[in-house]
Amino acid sequence: MPRLKRTAFAMALAATALAGLPGCRPASIARATTPSDGGALEGASELPARRALARELYVAGVPLLARYAVVHARNIDRGGAEYQGPLNVLHWVMVSAEISRAEPGATEAHEPAEAFTVAASLDLRAEPMVVRVPALPAERTYLLQLTDLQASVPAQISSRSTGNQPGDYLVVGPGWQGEVPVGIVDVIHADTTLVSISGWVQGLDTDSSGARQTLQRGFRIQPLSRHLAIAPPPITLGDWPQPLPADIARHSALFFARLEALLSFVPAQPGEANLRQRLQQLEITPPQRPLAQAATRALREGMADGQREIDQRRAALGGCDPGEVDAAHSDAISRACAAQRTLKEG
């Protein structure tokens, strides 16, 4: 069975927005936005540096805030109009393939005219999840795409890549170092502790109501502890942050405070830029000093700079379709553009 391959998305924030990109802009700004001592921005260059850093962090953070807002609406906000059901459960609906396109980076071609579309959100904070795929007849195709909060695609499980054989796939969060159980087809490593699943299973003309229910029951998500029939790990999970409304997320400096709160879902990885440290340079949260009006204005101007670049990319691409191939999302601007469209379309 071929191993699932990570796409170009996996370089999302570390290779572009979070690394500072000193070789891609004037050296004076590169030095100003990355103080050698990691401290706060100071001196005559403070406002230009703050604006440049705000632009960088805004572009990097847009996918995180946008994708979290979708997960929160669909699987966390039980009283909301868009609520589909709880986390770690597959949710099914019968729609045309025109609507059933997977999320950013989907490469599977020839979607069927009719399909059972499926969606879920995996919470990997406490433990890994096991995604089970049943045996399917050769004429029935399927695609399950996993997308993390950074708009990276850790894997696609599909009839094209793995055939129609049954299998259990272990989805693990950052830093997991447990033992892989016997019988696992592959281990899928995600860079965030919230991961979305979207995809479809081909519908056949011969499907009866009972056959459809049997088909859907064959696909399953369960915690690793339940898969192994052992006690779940003892862990206390924090509350869910409230998403920012889309208009506020584009214009308010609250964006950066919410980004900091969502970093609990993005544990630091070895060798990556320290996003938390870079956010601290903006001095946006207690016990740091209140920002002066000019500093707050610099943050908003930096956000506007980033949004302007996103809008320009949207115009150049003729829309930022979340279902386009990897090449359309190989940089932070395009990913932010696609994430905003995903949020708008729900």
Side-chain angles (χ1 to χ4, degrees):
M1 184 71 68
R3 289 187 62 82
L4 299 168
K5 298 184 181 296
R6 301 177 73 84
T7 71
F9 281 72
M11 302 304 296
L13 302 181
T16 54
L18 302 187
L21 299 177
C24 298
R25 57 178 174 224
S28 61
I29 293 180
R31 288 193 300 269
T33 58
T34 313
S36 59
D37 61 358
L41 302 173
E42 296 178 353
S45 63
E46 176 183 348
L47 294 181
R50 190 179 299 279
R51 176 171 176 170
L53 181 57
R55 172 261 164 211
E56 179 183 330
L57 295 176
Y58 176 76
V59 172
V62 160
L64 188 62
L65 268 73
R67 296 196 63 80
Y68 176 78
V70 173
V71 171
H72 191 277
R74 292 176 176 176
N75 306 115
I76 298 173
D77 183 11
R78 293 178 179 270
E82 299 177 37
Y83 184 72
Q84 296 178 344
L87 294 158
N88 304 324
V89 175
L90 291 168
H91 306 286
W92 296 85
V93 63
M94 183 73 172
V95 299
S96 67
E98 182 72 18
I99 302 175
S100 68
R101 303 185 69 180
E103 302 207 34
T107 58
E108 190 80 6
H110 310 300
E111 291 94 335
E114 286 191 336
F116 306 101
T117 64
V118 61
S121 296
L122 306 183
D123 181 2
L124 306 175
R125 294 176 300 167
E127 61 178 312
M129 292 289 156
V130 178
V131 178
R132 170 163 294 179
V133 175
L136 296 174
E139 65 271 18
R140 196 188 295 274
T141 58
Y142 76 95
L143 166 68
L144 299 179
Q145 176 168 294
L146 285 78
T147 309
D148 69 20
L149 286 185
Q150 297 177 144
S152 297
V153 178
Q156 290 179 345
I157 308 171
S158 73
S159 51
R160 170 173 294 184
S161 61
T162 62
N164 282 24
Q165 298 299 314
D168 291 329
Y169 298 83
L170 185 65
V171 186
V172 305
W176 185 80
Q177 297 179 346
E179 183 176 347
V180 178
V182 174
I184 293 295
V185 173
D186 204 356
V187 180
I188 300 171
H189 294 270
D191 290 334
T192 66
T193 54
L194 281 181
V195 176
S196 298
I197 294 180
S198 63
W200 48 263
V201 180
Q202 180 180 3
L204 302 177
D205 293 338
T206 56
D207 286 337
S208 64
S209 175
R212 293 174 182 175
Q213 293 178 6
T214 299
L215 169 69
Q216 294 173 7
R217 283 197 299 267
F219 289 84
R220 189 169 59 185
I221 296 172
Q222 59 181 351
L224 178 59
S225 58
R226 186 180 305 166
H227 176 80
L228 297 175
I230 61 176
I235 186 171
T236 301
L237 301 176
D239 296 332
W240 297 103
Q242 284 296 320
L244 282 182
D247 56 340
I248 295 178
R250 293 195 185 195
H251 303 291
S252 171
L254 289 173
F255 175 95
F256 300 102
R258 195 51 45 89
L259 174 59
E260 188 171 46
L262 293 181
L263 287 180
S264 62
F265 302 107
V266 192
Q269 298 295 302
E272 290 186 2
N274 192 332
L275 178 56
R276 289 168 180 81
Q277 186 179 40
R278 295 177 67 71
L279 276 169
Q280 289 174 1
Q281 294 175 36
L282 295 181
E283 300 176 304
I284 55 173
T285 56
Q288 297 169 335
R289 61 179 173 82
L291 289 180
Q293 184 176 0
T296 301
R297 183 169 62 249
L299 294 184
R300 292 173 177 166
E301 289 171 347
M303 295 174 67
D305 293 340
Q307 187 60 51
R308 190 177 303 111
E309 292 186 57
I310 296 170
D311 293 340
Q312 290 171 349
R313 183 62 57 84
R314 181 179 296 108
L317 294 178
C320 293
D321 187 343
E324 292 293 340
V325 296
D326 293 353
H329 300 88
S330 59
D331 63 272
I333 295 292
S334 292
R335 283 190 298 276
C337 187
Q340 286 186 344
R341 176 166 174 175
T342 300
L343 177 60
K344 180 178 179 181
E345 296 180 351

